Amino acid sequence: MRLTDPYVLASYYIEQELPGPHFPRTEDELRHVMETRPDELPWACNLQGLLLLNRGEDDAALAVLRRGFEADPGLQSPVTEEFMTALVRTGRTDEAVRLVDALSSRP
C-alpha cells in the first residue's frame, strides 16, 4: 500500500539523485505514475523529459515531453513550457513557433 503520492516521491528522489546522470529511484516512481495516474501524466512526463535532456537523450526527451503536452490540453502543467524550450534547444525552432502560433489562436 502506497501512502505517498508517487509524483511527490519522484520529485523527492530526483533531489536526492541529482546531479545524475542516473536516476533509478526517480525513474521507477515516474514509471509508476505514468502507468497508474493518468491525471498526473503531464507532470510525470515533464520530469522524465527533463531527466532525459540532462543525459543528452534529446529525441527520447522530446517524445516524452510531447506525450505530456498532448495529455495536457488545458495547459495546467509546466510540460508545455519545457516542451517548447526543449524544441528550441534541440534546433527545432520552427516546430516550436508553429505550436506557439497554434496555442495562441485557441479560444
Side-chain angles (χ1 to χ4, degrees):
M1 174 182 213
R2 287 184 177 267
L3 300 176
T4 303
D5 181 297
Y7 180 80
V8 172
L9 197 53
S11 297
Y12 169 77
Y13 285 150
I14 194 172
E15 293 297 325
Q16 303 304 306
E17 294 175 328
L18 280 171
H22 302 290
F23 302 89
R25 294 169 73 191
T26 303
E27 291 182 298
D28 284 346
E29 287 305 316
L30 289 172
R31 270 190 293 281
H32 179 75
V33 173
M34 290 182 201
E35 293 169 1
T36 64
R37 300 288 304 266
D39 57 315
E40 293 187 7
L41 183 63
W43 294 87
C45 286
N46 185 62
L47 192 53
Q48 181 68 33
L50 294 175
L51 294 179
L52 291 166
L53 285 171
N54 183 16
R55 283 200 296 249
E57 298 177 34
D58 295 345
D59 290 336
L62 287 171
V64 171
L65 290 168
R66 184 181 309 278
R67 180 180 175 202
F69 170 74
E70 291 170 351
D72 189 22
L75 308 177
Q76 299 298 309
S77 78
V79 73
T80 300
E81 180 180 344
E82 295 296 348
F83 180 45
M84 299 301 166
T85 301
L87 285 170
V88 171
R89 284 179 44 201
T90 58
R92 295 167 174 94
T93 306
D94 291 344
E95 183 179 356
V97 170
R98 283 193 305 274
L99 284 171
V100 168
D101 288 344
L103 291 172
S104 66
S105 67
R106 286 172 54 175

